[in-house]
Amino acid sequence: MQVRSSLSIAAGFLATALSIPFISKNLTRADDPKPDMVPPAKNSILIEKDFDYIQNLRKKAPQNNLYQQEKLWTETVYPTIREDLMALYKAEEEDIKTGTTQKDRKVKLCLTDFLEAGEEGDDMDTSLSNRYVLHVVKYYDLPKIGKRIYVNERWPVDPDNGAVFFPDIIRIRDQAFKGSLDEKGAHKLFVTGLIQIVWTTNSDNSRGNPYPLLGAQPFYLETTKNEKSNKINDTELFISNPTSCISCHVISGRNLKQISASNPSGKINFGAVTQDHRFDVSITKQKGYEKYVSFFEKKVNKGEIKKEEFARVKKDLADPRSYRNPYMVESLKEYKTIPWLESDTKVEGRYDPAREGFTYTWDKNEWEKAIFAYYRNRGDLVGIGEWWSQKDMIAINGAR
């Protein structure tokens, strides 16, 4: 495994995240869970009695090992996240079939940001030197049980022609416990997850095309007993789940005034970073859409992209049906547990065309994503990346 000695952008990002107090004292629940909480049954859905255990796991790493905290957290919350993700993506498919408008959709969506290479977003994501990404946040209110699930999907963008590829990372905020989102401290009702995706194709259509393969990756490396703290993993993902996730999702005195000022109704959702009113405006007035269009219109003005072609791209970008994630329900049904990935590795040796779309640049080096290595050698997936490129997995066609 390769280990970074300096973090640069990531260090500032994580330091900011961890500086926020991530357990507030406002929600009417047990605020100081005991250290000997009984863990939920293995592979079980979280229930109300698990609330204190979850709060404790956020604050206290087992054996003071942050890697073990991440792994235990992922194993504990994944069954709940999996079930609710299937509900969200099933509802999304129903929205597509019925042709509902943005306003009438069951799954609400907002293009929250478009990041150019090296830019840091409002939601603390950082786009690396060779990445351009569109952030699509969706939420779905689970029927009858009064809970909500959010997904923040990162859709890579081709900076040359504006093509949008299927998402490679999905961050999840799933309301595992009942409670009002209008009350301070509502962030404690949610559990968080982060899933990476490889989109594949197959000649016999046995699984559908394109088909998502999933994985989860730690931010910290496992350490020996003699080490006082974990070193940072070489990974494109600059967050530690659950600590930095919950930190960035607390609405406190630091950011409450700013959020209130930008909200015309004055109503605050204390369980969300993307406030409800941002989903109510048309896609063409959302921040991610406006920044994307501004970036590529400069190319139109320079003659690098044809105006009429970009008009078609903008039309597709404004259509909520463009952000469909095919076969996610079918894939999640297969993944009763989530594969636990290792470290990303530095690219060495001769050029491998199969890596296209599975590498990124960091500290002047090229790194291969662990999820590529994991699936590259799977017996039932021989040839992943050989006969197709990640750039073939296009959700919105770019300007030709």
Side-chain angles (χ1 to χ4, degrees), residues 163-174:
V164 180
F165 309 109
F166 288 104
D168 58 352
I169 292 173
I170 296 179
R171 288 180 280 174
I172 305 116
R173 280 179 56 71
D174 188 12

Side-chain angles (χ1 to χ4, degrees), residues 240-295:
S240 169
N241 199 25
T243 52
S244 53
C245 282
I246 193 64
S247 300
C248 293
H249 287 251
V250 174
I251 296 178
S252 63
R254 297 186 183 190
N255 52 16
L256 180 58
K257 186 176 181 179
Q258 180 182 358
I259 292 173
S260 299
S262 63
N263 187 347
S265 69
K267 184 179 179 181
I268 301 298
N269 180 335
F270 289 92
V273 169
T274 303
Q275 291 295 303
D276 294 359
H277 70 277
R278 296 185 63 186
F279 294 87
D280 296 335
V281 301
S282 67
I283 289 178
T284 57
K285 294 181 179 179
Q286 293 173 355
K287 180 180 178 181
Y289 179 93
E290 292 177 338
K291 287 182 65 178
Y292 172 101
V293 169
S294 175
F295 177 84

Side-chain angles (χ1 to χ4, degrees), residues 328-384:
M328 279 296 291
V329 175
E330 291 82 355
S331 180
L332 285 161
K333 284 180 179 179
E334 289 187 49
Y335 285 92
K336 294 182 179 180
T337 59
I338 189 82
W340 190 242
L341 305 172
E342 296 296 332
S343 172
D344 297 346
T345 55
K346 188 165 27 176
V347 174
E348 297 177 332
R350 64 182 182 178
Y351 171 71
D352 180 0
R355 287 195 187 105
E356 184 178 349
F358 295 108
T359 64
Y360 60 93
T361 303
W362 176 259
D363 283 349
K364 299 181 181 180
N365 292 309
E366 186 179 18
W367 296 87
E368 179 183 277
K369 298 177 73 170
I371 194 169
F372 167 72
Y374 180 87
Y375 284 112
R376 180 81 160 90
N377 300 317
R378 277 263 304 268
D380 58 336
L381 296 168
V382 173
I384 184 171

Side-chain angles (χ1 to χ4, degrees), residues 317-331:
L317 197 72
D319 187 342
R321 295 173 297 180
S322 297
Y323 306 100
R324 169 181 177 254
N325 289 275
Y327 301 106
M328 279 296 291
V329 175
E330 291 82 355
S331 180

Side-chain angles (χ1 to χ4, degrees), residues 228-246:
K228 293 181 179 179
S229 62
N230 291 288
K231 296 179 180 178
I232 304 303
N233 195 352
D234 273 304
T235 171
E236 186 181 12
L237 310 175
F238 297 143
I239 61 174
S240 169
N241 199 25
T243 52
S244 53
C245 282
I246 193 64

Side-chain angles (χ1 to χ4, degrees), residues 82-275:
R82 172 177 175 263
E83 179 176 88
D84 294 342
L85 275 179
M86 284 193 289
L88 181 148
Y89 286 116
K90 182 179 179 181
E92 181 177 72
E93 291 293 337
E94 292 171 356
D95 284 339
I96 300 295
K97 291 177 182 178
T98 58
T100 52
T101 64
Q102 161 78 339
K103 181 180 179 181
D104 297 328
R105 285 171 58 93
K106 296 177 182 177
V107 179
K108 307 298 183 183
L109 67 86
C110 179
L111 277 58
T112 58
D113 215 343
F114 168 72
L115 301 184
E116 299 180 34
E119 183 181 2
E120 186 174 303
D122 288 345
D123 62 355
M124 301 301 286
D125 187 28
T126 300
S127 189
L128 296 177
S129 60
N130 60 341
R131 292 280 189 212
Y132 292 73
V133 294
L134 184 69
H135 285 189
V136 180
V137 175
K138 303 172 182 174
Y139 79 77
Y140 176 58
D141 288 324
L142 299 163
K144 299 181 181 180
I145 62 176
K147 297 179 183 178
R148 178 175 289 191
I149 179 172
Y150 290 91
V151 291
N152 185 342
E153 301 169 345
R154 191 180 76 171
W155 297 64
V157 175
D158 189 323
D160 295 325
N161 61 22
V164 180
F165 309 109
F166 288 104
D168 58 352
I169 292 173
I170 296 179
R171 288 180 280 174
I172 305 116
R173 280 179 56 71
D174 188 12
Q175 187 180 350
F177 307 106
K178 293 181 180 180
S180 172
L181 303 187
D182 298 331
E183 186 179 352
K184 290 182 180 180
H187 59 277
K188 294 197 292 183
L189 302 174
F190 290 81
V191 293
T192 54
L194 194 152
I195 292 176
Q196 293 188 60
I197 306 178
V198 169
W199 294 88
T200 65
T201 184
N202 56 94
S203 58
D204 61 2
N205 290 317
S206 59
R207 301 173 100 179
N209 288 314
Y211 196 85
L213 305 174
L214 313 180
Q217 186 177 23
F219 181 64
Y220 293 99
L221 291 177
E222 192 165 17
T223 63
T224 66
K225 294 181 179 179
N226 295 328
E227 290 180 292
K228 293 181 179 179
S229 62
N230 291 288
K231 296 179 180 178
I232 304 303
N233 195 352
D234 273 304
T235 171
E236 186 181 12
L237 310 175
F238 297 143
I239 61 174
S240 169
N241 199 25
T243 52
S244 53
C245 282
I246 193 64
S247 300
C248 293
H249 287 251
V250 174
I251 296 178
S252 63
R254 297 186 183 190
N255 52 16
L256 180 58
K257 186 176 181 179
Q258 180 182 358
I259 292 173
S260 299
S262 63
N263 187 347
S265 69
K267 184 179 179 181
I268 301 298
N269 180 335
F270 289 92
V273 169
T274 303
Q275 291 295 303

